[in-house]
Amino acid sequence: GEDNYSRRFLSSEPGDHTTNDKGVFRISGVPPGRYILKVGVAYGLAAYGRSEKKNVYYPETFHPSADEASKATVVEVSTGREITDVDITVGQPLKVYEITGQLIVVETGAPVPNVSLEVITTSANRKESLHLGGAFRSNANGEFRITHALPGRYVVAPENDRVSNTYGDPISFDVKDEDVTGLKIPMRTASTLTGIVTIEGNVDPSIANVLSKLMISAHTLSDNLKSSTVSSPINADGGFRISGVRPGKVSLYSFMRRGEPAVLRLVRIERNGVELRDGVDVRSGEEINGLRLVLAAGSGVLRGEVMIEGGPLEGVILYVMYRPTNGDPHRFDRAELDARRHFVIKDLTPGDYELVIGPMSVEISGEKGSRTMDRMPTVRHTVAVGAGADAEVTLVMTLKPERPPRPQNGP
């Protein structure tokens, strides 16, 4: 398409996009435009879940026989015309392999059953990756089996397990020209956080009853692959216990169950009477107690407007992220904008708040298709909100100059 827009077309007709026993395909109902056709798999898992062993997989190939999109021949489609001989010549079928292993507790040697695994695969040029979570789990004996793996780089990461109170670090390996067997993912004793939730100030009795509807989450920012989050409900007496916590810098936050509106906000975290402003430092297997999460019902209101300078911003849904400056630097809430790009944030407790609009680039879509918008800067602003008062702010986003469209290859 024009202006770097692109769109995938999938026919709704049964059998379209699938070759017959002679390798012939026919795709009907194609709108006019310029198209690139491809077949095959570039890297990673050739199939997810159950698949017939007799299935054959080919390397990713673009019409007529190119190994990357930039070398493909573009097919021009016009109204009422049938385009023929759009042939694709593929290489030899790919060989696929299996990955098998087991999750074992380091301290005891016991298997860890029913743990979900995330599988990350990386392309040969290391510029692209695929994340697949939830498709594979360990069985009753802690064993796992990943099928249809193409040669390449793999990372397998286990989720934290609250039942066994364990966590595991990701393992990385290469699949070359044979099955990968006998992998061992070491699971270690996780940490447990216990404490109590209290409400600060004079609040309506109906608000105090929301404690039974709240969840407390512990979020660990990991250095080796990804962050992890585990949650726990709050007891009738305000107590909570969160197990399966990965060690590191742990942030705590509250949220309402079943999508109910949040009428209380977390304003302070303490441990044994000392305020923690930068999260909780947790070691492996440590029992953290004496935590106190203080919630409050805010009455402040922040009204704002977002102004765009430097041209139109079509196809982008903007929103404002905000957080109290004395809170967790990684934890933001989100405010939606109306058609005029105005927003209202209610029930704020007194203090300073950081507002952020971003990120640097987003994927946008519209009638033309989709493309990457990289004109957006990151806007940050701090504003003070008083008790029971209305505050107003205007955020200005100045767009970067738009890049010219990349040249398209001709047929």
Side-chain angles (χ1 to χ4, degrees):
E2 298 177 356
D3 301 327
N4 292 332
Y5 277 97
S6 64
R7 172 185 295 173
R8 180 186 297 269
F9 172 75
L10 294 174
S11 171
S12 59
E13 290 295 324
D16 278 10
H17 302 282
T18 303
T19 57
N20 62 17
D21 57 355
K22 296 182 179 180
V24 176
F25 66 90
R26 177 184 177 88
I27 304 175
S28 57
V30 183
R34 294 162 53 85
Y35 289 84
I36 291 176
L37 284 82
K38 75 166 186 175
V39 68
V41 186
Y43 64 95
L45 303 180
Y48 306 136
R50 297 184 60 183
S51 180
E52 297 291 338
K53 290 185 176 180
K54 65 181 181 180
N55 286 0
V56 178
Y57 306 98
Y58 291 94
E60 183 178 63
T61 310
F62 298 84
H63 167 68
S65 59
D67 58 0
E68 57 183 72
S70 62
K71 301 177 183 177
T73 297
V74 175
V75 179
E76 296 274 1
V77 177
S78 56
T79 303
R81 183 186 171 195
E82 181 174 319
I83 311 300
T84 61
D85 300 325
V86 187
D87 300 333
I88 302 177
T89 302
V90 299
Q92 293 297 314
L94 297 168
K95 292 184 178 181
V96 294
Y97 303 95
E98 289 190 351
I99 302 167
T100 58
Q102 189 178 31
L103 278 61
I104 297 292
V105 179
V106 172
E107 293 86 351
T108 65
V112 187
N114 201 34
V115 173
S116 180
L117 301 172
E118 181 178 11
V119 179
I120 300 99
T121 61
T122 307
S123 63
N125 60 11
R126 300 292 193 264
K127 293 182 179 180
E128 300 179 44
S129 62
L130 291 174
H131 292 241
L132 182 66
F136 303 98
R137 303 182 73 88
S138 60
N139 63 15
N141 197 35
E143 299 166 337
F144 64 89
R145 179 171 174 262
I146 301 168
T147 60
H148 304 98
L150 297 172
R153 187 70 173 174
Y154 286 78
V155 174
V156 176
E159 288 187 351
N160 296 11
D161 186 47
R162 293 183 58 188
V163 176
S164 62
N165 193 34
T166 59
Y167 73 94
D169 290 325
I171 61 171
S172 60
F173 53 91
D174 292 315
V175 175
K176 296 180 179 178
D177 54 3
E178 61 182 357
D179 295 340
V180 177
T181 60
L183 293 175
K184 299 293 183 182
I185 298 183
M187 302 290 287
R188 306 179 188 279
T189 301
S191 303
T192 302
L193 308 183
T194 59
I196 191 169
V197 177
T198 61
I199 302 176
E200 189 174 65
N202 297 320
V203 297
D204 188 280
S206 62
I207 294 179
N209 292 334
V210 304
L211 281 183
S212 62
K213 303 175 183 178
L214 277 172
M215 298 285 291
I216 299 298
S217 284
H219 177 85
T220 305
L221 191 62
S222 174
D223 294 331
N224 50 15
L225 174 67
K226 63 174 185 175
S227 58
S228 64
T229 302
V230 288
S231 303
S232 169
I234 300 175
N235 301 328
D237 61 357
F240 66 90
R241 179 182 177 85
I242 308 176
S243 59
V245 179
R246 181 183 291 269
K249 181 71 71 174
V250 177
S251 301
L252 296 172
Y253 59 92
S254 64
F255 63 94
M256 295 292 289
R257 290 190 285 181
R258 296 182 292 273
E260 299 189 32
V263 294
L264 294 172
R265 296 184 181 275
L266 180 62
V267 295
R268 191 167 64 256
I269 299 174
E270 301 174 354
R271 185 183 186 191
N272 299 326
V274 179
E275 183 175 0
L276 305 176
R277 292 196 174 189
D278 192 28
V280 184
D281 291 314
V282 178
R283 296 189 297 270
S284 179
E286 186 177 11
E287 182 89 18
I288 301 289
N289 48 38
L291 293 172
R292 179 171 177 255
L293 277 62
V294 181
L295 307 181
S299 57
V301 178
L302 177 58
R303 305 178 187 274
E305 175 186 6
V306 177
M307 299 181 62
I308 307 295
E309 297 180 348
L313 193 63
E314 58 176 287
V316 178
I317 300 176
L318 286 179
Y319 48 83
V320 176
M321 308 298 293
Y322 65 96
R323 71 171 187 92
T325 57
N326 64 348
D328 179 4
H330 306 292
R331 174 66 180 170
F332 285 83
D333 289 309
R334 189 168 86 173
E336 306 289 343
L337 304 182
D338 62 19
R340 300 178 301 162
R341 295 200 181 99
H342 289 196
F343 63 91
V344 179
I345 306 173
K346 301 179 179 180
D347 303 324
L348 295 178
T349 53
D352 292 338
Y353 288 82
E354 180 187 20
L355 307 178
V356 179
I357 305 177
M360 297 299 293
S361 64
V362 294
E363 186 76 11
I364 64 174
S365 60
E367 293 183 358
K368 295 181 180 180
S370 62
R371 65 168 176 164
T372 299
M373 164 71 77
D374 57 3
R375 302 181 62 202
M376 294 174 58
T378 298
V379 178
R380 297 182 183 272
H381 188 85
T382 301
V383 61
V385 176
D390 281 22
E392 296 187 0
V393 63
T394 299
L395 304 176
V396 180
M397 173 180 285
T398 302
L399 300 181
K400 302 174 184 178
E402 189 165 13
R403 295 182 180 180
R406 290 176 298 178
Q408 296 281 347
N409 290 330

